[in-house]
Amino acid sequence: MTRGRRREHYQWNMDIFGVGGVEAEAELLSAIVFSFERMGISAKDVGIKINSRKLLNDLMMRVGIPSDKWVATCVLVDKLDKVELVALTKEINELGLSMSTMEELVSLLQLRTIEEYAAQLGEDAEGVRDIRRLFALAEAYDIRDWVEFDPSVVRGLAYYTGIVFEGFDRSRELRAICGGGRYDKLLESIGGDAVPAVGFGFGDAVIVELLKSKNLLPNFAHPNIDCIAYAMTDGLRGKLMQEVQKLRRRGIAVDAILEEKKPKWVFQRADKAKIPYVVILGEDEDQQGLVS
């Protein structure tokens, strides 16, 4: 199986509803960068490629692709990072497009800067304005080093309507780390209200591979717990939890044992998890008033 791909995985999703401007995209990109930084990953390790479906729509209009075929064409373009255009001949023909039309579109997609696209489409093109605004916001958020314009980013899902983006490792050894984009028409298409929306998915599979390669994956076998708290009887558990809460409010990480266990089991758990202290509340200590 491909590295960073599993049959099932956990995924973090984050979405913003009701904001039609790219201010929402900037906030989401900032959240992604913040998460990378918390993991110990820098802009030298990963980046986020950004494009706009609006740019691609304008290019498809320019080369004469009918609007009812834009979504299907985007799916084909998304495959070009894996196969050559000629390998898509059958699908292009089935879509009713000529190879020359697709070649013209792919040629335009070789432009690398937003300035080149502005020269082709005009400064007033909505996709151009969105990209420029988003990169200005990236400067304000102090995440400009993390993001780059990449017209090859399409995202294969049909519902994207504007900005699209993908997180990638700069060594190019892994699949996309995360990805998302704007989907202003999705809720309306399934019977809901027309609400602008943008979001991303961030699965655990690829980021775990990246963290492993950089020796940044936390050692979950030894949790960062300061002490274990244990009551010898059920009748003492309420009093124990009062003391546990006092410790937690002081910033001490406490693992409270909630089940009936023997002291031997508690000490074995502390030893296995490298927990330095064990707090045990017994009846004698309680009666003597030694707990406060």
Side-chain angles (χ1 to χ4, degrees), residues 70-238:
W70 286 357
V71 171
T73 303
C74 285
V75 173
L76 295 182
V77 171
D78 189 52
K79 296 179 179 181
L80 292 176
D81 64 339
K82 303 178 183 69
V83 300
E84 297 293 330
L85 183 62
V86 66
L88 302 175
T89 301
K90 181 181 178 182
E91 294 171 79
I92 292 170
N93 291 336
E94 289 175 349
L95 193 55
L97 301 177
S98 68
M99 181 58 76
S100 61
T101 296
M102 284 300 296
E103 288 173 343
E104 185 179 0
L105 177 62
V106 171
S107 176
L108 288 171
L109 290 173
Q110 302 310 305
L111 302 177
R112 303 315 302 168
T113 68
I114 193 61
E115 288 74 24
E116 290 176 298
Y117 280 91
Q120 292 286 333
L121 302 173
E123 288 288 350
D124 290 334
E126 195 171 0
V128 171
R129 294 203 310 269
D130 283 353
I131 293 290
R132 289 198 187 280
R133 173 62 177 160
L134 183 54
F135 276 79
L137 288 168
E139 292 278 2
Y141 273 86
D142 196 25
I143 60 172
R144 183 63 182 84
D145 290 346
W146 294 78
V147 299
E148 61 184 59
F149 174 62
D150 188 336
S152 70
V153 175
V154 177
R155 305 291 295 169
L157 298 176
Y159 54 70
Y160 288 122
T161 58
I163 295 291
V164 287
F165 51 87
E166 287 183 353
F168 69 100
D169 78 295
R170 296 193 185 277
S171 66
R172 312 285 178 172
E173 296 177 357
L174 299 169
R175 301 171 56 248
I177 301 170
C178 60
R182 179 162 288 277
Y183 52 96
D184 285 346
K185 299 179 181 179
L186 180 60
L187 297 181
E188 186 179 9
S189 71
I190 57 176
D193 295 332
V195 178
V198 60
F200 66 81
F202 194 131
D204 69 321
V206 179
I207 191 62
V208 164
E209 292 296 325
L210 180 63
L211 292 172
K212 285 180 180 178
S213 70
K214 298 186 178 299
N215 296 316
L216 292 171
L217 191 66
N219 183 358
F220 296 109
H222 303 303
N224 187 24
I225 297 174
D226 298 313
C227 72
I228 283 182
Y230 166 66
M232 295 289 288
T233 67
D234 281 343
L236 293 172
R237 188 162 289 122

